Structure formats: C-alpha cells, structure tokens
Amino acid sequence: LNSPESVPEIRRICESKGIVLSYPNSDKKTGNGSDGDADAAEIRWIVDKLISQLIEPECVSPTFLVNPPLCLSPLAKELNQDHPQAKNAFPTAVAARFELFVGGYELINAYQELNDPEEQRERFAAQEAARGAGDVEAAPADDEFCDSLEYGMPPAAGWGLGVDRLMMLFSGVSHLREILLFPVNKPEAL
C-alpha cells in the first residue's frame, strides 16, 4: 500500500467485488482497472472505501479492527515491527490503532499518538496535498500542533467513544437523528 505498484491489485479487488470508485473531484474512475496514475491520497481513499464497504458492514457482533494501514491514520504512530504484536508479519506500514464496531457502527477509535514533530509535519504535508487534489476528508495541517511537539510530548494514547452511536445501539434505532435531542432541521421549502 505504500507504493503506486499496489494500485492495480487494489483496483482488481474493487472490480471483483463490484465496487466502482470515482475519486473525489476527479473524472478518474479508479475501480475499473484503468492505467491512470494513482497518488498516495488516492490509495488511501480506495483502501478506506474498501474497508467501509466490505469489512465494516460485517461487524455486527462486537469486532475490533486492529492495526489498519498507516495511510488511514495520519495522527497515529506506526506500529513498531519489533513489537510482539507485529512480529514482522505486516507487508506494509500499519498504525498502532484499533476501532471497535458493534451493529455495523464504529463505537470506539483508539490509537497511540505520533509524537515525532518531523514525521507529523510530513504527514500533514501529504494530507494537504490530498486536500489540494480534492480529498475533503484529508486533515488540514496544524503547524501550532507540530510546534508544540517540538517542545516534547511523552508517549501518549487516546480513545474516543461515540456516545451518540452507543445510544443508537441501546435504543435499536438506525439513524442518528432519531436519538438527538435537538436534531438538525432542514429549512422548509419556500
């Protein structure tokens, strides 16, 4: 996943699963086996779509998705290949991250935070390039954050629990608007 050479195989998987992907703000079709060049942002986008369409819907019972490709986690530390969990088993860089899915919804996102300012600046630059290419989900650069990392950040980890999604699970509803106290209203037609 770290090189454009992986794109034809990823596209083949998309095609075999009937997934036709159009890269955002582009007239390129990426799931049709075309020979167009792919950049890192496009690879990240394709992998994210594959996971969201093929894996996440199958996570009905409590399921942990562990160590996703690093390209999907711009703020997470890379899982060290010397770590006992890795044992040099991964052919590509993976993130020290996990997500908990229940009922097809992500409830928890947790990761070990990247605390290297140089690497974080490089990842933000890649995200900015992706934003410039039309990827609206790419994170904007945060120079103040990188500056603060230069002062030193001890090893840290974080996790977030989607309370709204937890309430959806407990109440058995299928849409967020059914559990929000003050749902967003659409303007009425004139």
Side-chain angles (χ1 to χ4, degrees), residues 36-177:
D37 291 336
D39 59 8
E42 185 177 1
I43 293 169
R44 184 190 66 78
W45 186 81
I46 293 170
V47 171
D48 184 53
K49 291 302 173 193
L50 280 170
I51 291 171
S52 67
Q53 291 184 20
L54 297 178
I55 297 173
E56 291 174 6
E58 301 298 319
C59 299
V60 177
S61 297
T63 306
F64 286 95
L65 298 183
V66 181
N67 306 122
L70 188 62
C71 64
L72 300 177
S73 307
L75 298 175
K77 214 175 235 189
E78 180 177 355
L79 183 65
N80 186 329
Q81 287 293 328
D82 295 330
H83 188 277
Q85 187 178 355
K87 296 183 184 171
N88 297 315
F90 300 112
T92 189
V94 296
R97 175 182 172 202
F98 74 85
E99 298 169 289
L100 172 63
F101 283 80
V102 180
Y105 296 103
E106 176 189 314
L107 291 182
I108 293 176
N109 182 19
Y111 56 90
Q112 186 176 2
E113 296 189 32
L114 179 62
N115 57 358
D116 179 344
E118 301 302 320
E119 186 175 348
Q120 189 64 69
R121 285 187 199 283
E122 289 173 13
R123 291 196 198 173
F124 276 146
Q127 291 285 304
E128 282 292 318
R131 285 178 72 81
D135 186 350
V136 296
E137 294 181 4
D142 187 343
D143 290 327
E144 290 178 11
F145 177 70
C146 292
D147 290 343
S148 66
L149 287 178
E150 288 181 0
Y151 288 104
M153 177 178 164
W159 69 276
L161 168 66
V163 176
D164 50 358
R165 294 180 180 181
L166 186 62
M167 294 311 298
M168 286 176 59
L169 177 68
F170 288 157
S171 60
V173 299
S174 57
H175 298 285
L176 278 173
R177 68 177 170 266

Side-chain angles (χ1 to χ4, degrees), residues 13 30 108:
I13 293 169
T30 61
I108 293 176

